[in-house]
């Protein structure tokens, strides 16, 4: 590692978090000054004031829906100062996997500066604990989308693509970025499965140099090694013969990969083959066995990614798992500065210089109850409200976090869940987290059958004749017995313990919960559908509830359903 002064970055972060309040005031002032001419702010009567008190008095807390008409005008090509002082030239498209539909969000060079700050900071802390040696490489399961145009001619791509293709980002992050072992043609490849195969092949070719393995969200690392279990013999064959598999059909991906496979390498192929043969019963510890110098595995591992931790730990053996940072297409929020903490205990320290942050107590969402960064209380849950350089003012990002403590004077946040209820028929209230816990609990019954829930989602199904009921979809890694799956279904039903659900179930205003088992590979099809519709696999998060707006996903699930069980828990 050259050119990267991690100590300086850490010192700067310490100084900023020690004086979080001052930095928050300054950041707000800067944002409001630079964007004072924006129509949105003008209409709210701020009249040039930039202090937090006037700001809160004039500007309402909003959701995406409130800002959508302004964003649509920008995307339509209106270059007048709408949300920002300077015109927006690029848009990001959020994954949309948590809300059901992608959202357009402004993107700018100023935003990249904030991303660089977070990325450099977390890298500095990480590299202090797990230094990456000179010539060290990383195996990154990263997939960038192609850029397209909005109706008004603005460039649009996923935020990860916008960031990765920005020259400003490339220059600033060069010492860190140059570690990735896959060629850019693979990263930008149009076919997810082909790129995944090539990432694995690159990893094997550079196996001795690989020092960490990463993806934006941990789900993609798990998916990569599940794929590895299926294609390892083919990968070995490619290495042995020096000829790339015919499954790679994208021309520039083929030619970039061929440059890496300059000669047949039977020694390497034999070595990997032997290792895989030895592992192939359980694949426990696959990662350190195949990549002997890996120091850690890196990606978002909290929130909806918690489900994949068990499998990831299985592949990782003793290799530490390091959760990355917390952010969204609408703005970055905090960094993980304690990389040695296990993912279950990870918190994110809010970076007071990348936006102005407020916190809306979950217990009382009255606008006036929103508190600023330094006023949050340890142990309380809040919804995050951001103001940042993208022209988002007091914007509810849609996540609930819990304050676990403070680093200097900036809060350490634990990600709790998305704000929305996902399962709700009448007086019942169940969130993504409630569903996750119910699935975890019911899946304990599968252990004896040596089965796992590969992935899951849910749905509220209404029929005109009967009361609505919850449907939980599970993909398993094998076939479960009728008896155990019936029991799992009952346990899911019983685990939704909110009083509204329990009462409704007892009086049958909510029907019996249904567990639908889908074929192996169904959730990969959902990811592929998402990528085919313009999303980036890097940002994909399995939707934990499928609403009517997600018709195609529902179709994939239902056409792959193989069995269904109804709960008898309330009979
Ligand atoms: P998107 O902008 O569509 O890629 O998704 C952003 C959303 O991903 C956030 O609002 C969170 O719900 C989720 N997310 C991002 N980072 C994390 C994290 N570190 N832990 C848990 N969830 C996260």
């Amino acid at each position: 590692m050259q050119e990267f002064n991690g100590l300086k970055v850490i010192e700067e972060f310490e100084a900023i978090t020690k004086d979080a309040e001052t930095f928050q005031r300054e950041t707000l002032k800067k944002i409001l000054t630079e964007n004072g001419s924006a129509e949105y702010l003008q209409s709210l009567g701020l009249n040039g004031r930039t202090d937090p008190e006037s700001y809160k008095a004039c500007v309402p807390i909003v959701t995406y829906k409130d800002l959508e008409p302004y964003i649509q005008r920008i995307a339509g090509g209106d270059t007048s100062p709408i949300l920002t002082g300077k015109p927006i030239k690029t848009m990001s498209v959020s994954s949309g996997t948590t809300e059901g539909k992608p959202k357009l969000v402004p993107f700018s060079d100023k935003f990249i500066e904030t991303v660089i700050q977070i990325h450099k900071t977390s890298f500095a802390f990480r590299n202090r604990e797990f230094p990456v040696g000179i010539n060290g490489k990383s195996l990154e399961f990263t997939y960038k989308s192609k850029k397209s145009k909005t109706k008004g001619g603005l460039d649009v791509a996923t935020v990860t693509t916008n960031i990765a293709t920005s020259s400003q980002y490339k220059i600033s992050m060069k010492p860190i970025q140059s570690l990735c072992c896959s060629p850019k043609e693979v990263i930008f490849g149009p076919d997810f499965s082909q790129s995944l195969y090539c990432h694995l092949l690159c990893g094997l070719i550079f196996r001795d140099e690989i020092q960490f393995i990463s993806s934006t969200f941990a789900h993609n690392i798990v998916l990569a090694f599940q794929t590895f279990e299926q294609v390892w013999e083919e990968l070995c064959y490619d290495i042995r013969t020096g000829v790339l598999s015919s499954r790679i059909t994208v021309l520039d991906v083929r030619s970039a990969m061929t440059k890496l496979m300059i000669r047949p390498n039977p020694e390497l192929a034999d070595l990997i083959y032997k290792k895989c043969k030895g592992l192939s019963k359980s694949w426990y510890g696959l990662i350190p066995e195949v990549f002997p110098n890996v120091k850690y595995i890196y990606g978002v591992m909290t929130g909806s990614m918690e489900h994949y931790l068990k499998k990831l730990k299985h592949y990782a053996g003793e290799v530490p798992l390091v959760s990355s940072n917390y952010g969204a297409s609408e703005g970055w929020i905090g960094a993980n500065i304690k990389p040695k903490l296990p993912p279950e205990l990870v918190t994110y320290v809010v970076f007071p210089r990348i936006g102005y942050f407020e916190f809306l107590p979950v217990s009382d969402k009255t606008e006036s109850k929103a508190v600023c960064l330094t006023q949050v209380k340890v142990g309380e849950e809040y919804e995050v409200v951001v103001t940042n350089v993208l022209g988002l003012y007091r914007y509810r990002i849609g996540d609930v976090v819990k304050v676990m403590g403070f680093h200097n004077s900036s809060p350490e946040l634990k990600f709790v869940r998305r704000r929305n209820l996902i399962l709700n028929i009448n007086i019942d209230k169940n969130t993504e987290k409630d569903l996750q816990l119910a699935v975890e609990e019911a899946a304990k019954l599968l252990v004896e059958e040596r089965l796992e829930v590969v992935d899951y989602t849910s749905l509220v199904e209404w029929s005109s004749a009967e009361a609505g009921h919850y449907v939980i979809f599970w993909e398993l890694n094998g076939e479960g017995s009728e008896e155990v799956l019936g029991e799992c279904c009952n346990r899911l039903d019983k685990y939704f313990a909110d009083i509204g659900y329990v009462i409704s179930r007892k009086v049958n205003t909510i029907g019996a919960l249904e567990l639908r088992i889908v074929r192996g590979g169904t959730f990969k099809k959902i990811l592929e559908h998402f990528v085919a519709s313009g999303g980036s696999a890097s940002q994909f998060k399995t939707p934990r509830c499928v609403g009517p707006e997600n018709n195609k996903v529902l179709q994939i699930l239902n056409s792959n359903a193989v069995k269904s069980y109804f709960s008898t828990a309330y009979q």
Side-chain angles (χ1 to χ4, degrees), residues 48-257:
R49 286 170 296 169
T50 60
D51 60 290
E53 296 71 26
S54 311
Y55 179 59
K56 287 182 200 171
C58 296
V59 178
I61 291 182
V62 293
T63 61
Y64 186 77
K65 237 178 158 186
D66 300 305
L67 297 186
E68 199 170 8
Y70 298 91
I71 293 176
Q72 286 303 341
R73 275 175 55 206
I74 298 170
D78 186 338
T79 53
S80 64
I82 298 174
L83 287 172
T84 49
K86 287 201 178 129
I88 294 286
K89 295 186 184 132
T90 308
M91 302 295 266
S92 295
V93 59
S94 82
S95 69
T97 43
T98 44
E99 304 272 341
K101 75 175 190 342
K103 288 176 285 195
L104 275 181
V105 184
F107 183 86
S108 68
D109 288 352
K110 288 213 175 304
F111 180 67
I112 295 174
E113 281 167 28
T114 67
V115 178
I116 291 171
Q117 286 190 47
I118 283 269
H119 284 189
K120 277 197 168 166
T121 302
S122 69
F123 186 78
F125 280 97
R126 208 161 72 243
N127 210 46
R128 187 170 70 172
E129 304 290 355
F130 306 102
V132 175
I134 294 181
N135 297 330
K137 287 195 186 298
S138 58
L139 168 54
E140 299 184 19
F141 296 102
T142 177
Y143 310 90
K144 307 288 186 249
S145 62
K146 288 260 178 297
K147 290 200 174 186
S148 56
K149 296 272 182 204
T150 66
K151 260 193 280 165
L154 280 74
D155 278 342
V156 60
T158 57
V159 74
T160 39
T161 306
N162 279 336
I163 293 168
T165 51
S166 121
S167 49
Q168 189 186 350
Y169 185 81
K170 280 193 231 165
I171 292 165
S172 297
M173 302 300 283
K174 194 155 182 257
I176 305 173
Q177 281 245 305
S178 55
L179 298 170
C180 181
C181 74
S182 304
K184 70 174 189 325
E185 290 80 358
V186 169
I187 296 170
F188 286 89
D191 182 299
F192 170 72
S193 296
Q194 293 187 30
S195 289
L196 168 48
Y197 183 91
C198 292
H199 278 314
L200 288 169
L201 191 53
C202 293
L204 295 180
I205 292 170
F206 294 105
R207 70 181 280 272
D208 288 326
E209 285 114 294
I210 300 294
Q211 302 214 357
F212 67 92
I213 294 180
S214 74
S215 71
T216 309
F217 289 98
H219 163 260
N220 263 317
I221 306 177
V222 171
L223 184 59
F225 287 105
Q226 280 165 341
T227 307
F228 183 89
E229 285 188 31
Q230 286 152 19
V231 300
W232 65 274
E233 285 176 287
E234 198 175 332
L235 290 164
C236 286
Y237 185 80
D238 290 4
I239 295 172
R240 183 181 307 286
T241 56
V243 179
L244 185 63
S245 160
S246 59
R247 69 162 73 212
I248 309 304
T249 54
V250 179
L251 286 183
D252 60 347
V253 174
R254 266 202 90 80
S255 83
M257 286 302 293

Side-chain angles (χ1 to χ4, degrees), residues 93-99 102-103 105 158-160 216-217 299-306 323-334 336 346 348 397-400 414-419 432 530 538-541:
V93 59
S94 82
S95 69
T97 43
T98 44
E99 304 272 341
K103 288 176 285 195
V105 184
T158 57
V159 74
T160 39
T216 309
F217 289 98
V300 170
M301 295 180 191
T302 45
S304 67
M305 294 299 127
E306 281 169 24
S323 191
S324 55
N325 302 311
Y326 170 35
S329 308
E330 297 101 313
W332 252 248
I333 295 160
N336 174 12
V346 161
Y348 303 99
I397 216 142
D399 294 330
V400 173
K414 181 181 168 63
F415 183 91
V416 178
R417 60 179 168 86
R418 295 288 298 164
R419 168 187 70 213
E432 189 177 285
F530 166 79
S538 285
Q539 269 172 262
F540 178 78
K541 298 173 271 307

Side-chain angles (χ1 to χ4, degrees), residues 397-417:
I397 216 142
D399 294 330
V400 173
V401 295
K402 185 171 180 176
V403 178
M404 304 304 283
F406 282 87
H407 177 80
N408 297 322
S409 56
S410 197
E412 297 167 322
L413 308 177
K414 181 181 168 63
F415 183 91
V416 178
R417 60 179 168 86

